[in-house]
Amino acid sequence: MASRAKSGGLMQSSLQDILGSYNDQSPLCEAYTVPASWYVDERIAELERRYVFGGTWQVVAGVDQLRQPGQFVTRELAGEPIVVVCGNDGALRAFYNVCRHHAAAVVTESEGSASIFRCPYHGWSYGLDGSLKGAPEFDGVCSFDRAQNGLVPVQVAAWEHFVFVNLDPKASSLETFLGRLVQRVEPLMLSQVKFFERRTYSLNCNWKVFVDNYLDGGYHVPHLHKGLNSVLDYRQYTTENQDRYCLQSSPMVSSDEDAATSAARQGDRAWYLWQYPNFMMNLYKGYMDTNLVLPDGVDRCKVIFDFYFDDVSTAAAEKNRQSIAVGERVNDEDVGICESVQRGLHSRAYGAGRLSVRREAGEHLFHRLLANDLKRGM
Ligand code: FES
Ligand SMILES: [Fe+2]
């Protein structure tokens, strides 16, 4: 492809052409980003909904929310209503939250505890294992097999703090999906931190812009995040790509440039871990935050930040909030630039960009995995 700027014609390119305009075989030194059209085209968003969010393992809850028999959460994933529940036997189960009678949502609260799920419409009830328990006034209905009318199951599994579901019934296991990540993360001891607080942000950019920004190997840190940069040894920043994850890491340095950041971000190393397609974990000593990026139309996304600390006692609450404030400042800087990028992606002046070999290997991995899933969908 000679020119990477948009052709500017009024004719809409076919989806095939748009997908074909990215070459996922290029080595990093020759690679381009995925084209701008992938960030603004509704048809790409629809393909992603089905084959990325509807076909990969997605974080939907924390294991702490589903520990006791009867505890449940409801979520929407790739446009599908889902309920995840801890059964009477302690096992996790997930179902489409769609009544088998006339399709109403059976569970209406976002989380809670129940011994049975009763549909608010005509009172059909389901056990925590999804089986149909009661269908009022249904005597005399021919060829109606209760055993065939339970809630439709969804694959579910847990790893570390997180409960994942996968809408593709043929998908391989969560363990296979995570691959070597499981072993790689073990020494980081994620289990030592405990959930403290959740904050949700809405951004005016495509979800991939946020992920790209995360995966640029620290490239933007000295320019955009002066405070954070003061505690990282930028020159020693490393990026490691494996399977479906990218692990970025940087040694920490002590600095008196930014007192709030130095107090909140401690330890020998910072770890920034991304798992395809939309989940990140950021670790410092005694601290973790996770970011779950969810599309909200083609030009918007929602990012759910969960903050974890080693000490979540009342005595530590103020210190933890100060640490969150440091994170929020960094996030504000990222939000501004991500929204600027989204506006630029709409410009006729931009088609696709090149990647820094030193810094942007993570983005390259993301774009190749994404292209693979979308092309498989076609
Ligand atoms: S839709 Fe659920 S009972 Fe009728
Ligand atoms: Fe950033």
Side-chain angles (χ1 to χ4, degrees), residues 98-106 118-126 136:
V98 178
C99 186
R100 295 297 299 276
H101 179 226
H102 287 178
V106 175
R118 195 176 309 280
C119 180
Y121 199 176
H122 310 96
W124 283 30
S125 55
Y126 301 88

Side-chain angles (χ1 to χ4, degrees), residues 213 220 225 330 334:
N213 173 63
H220 71 275
H225 304 310
V330 175
D334 283 324

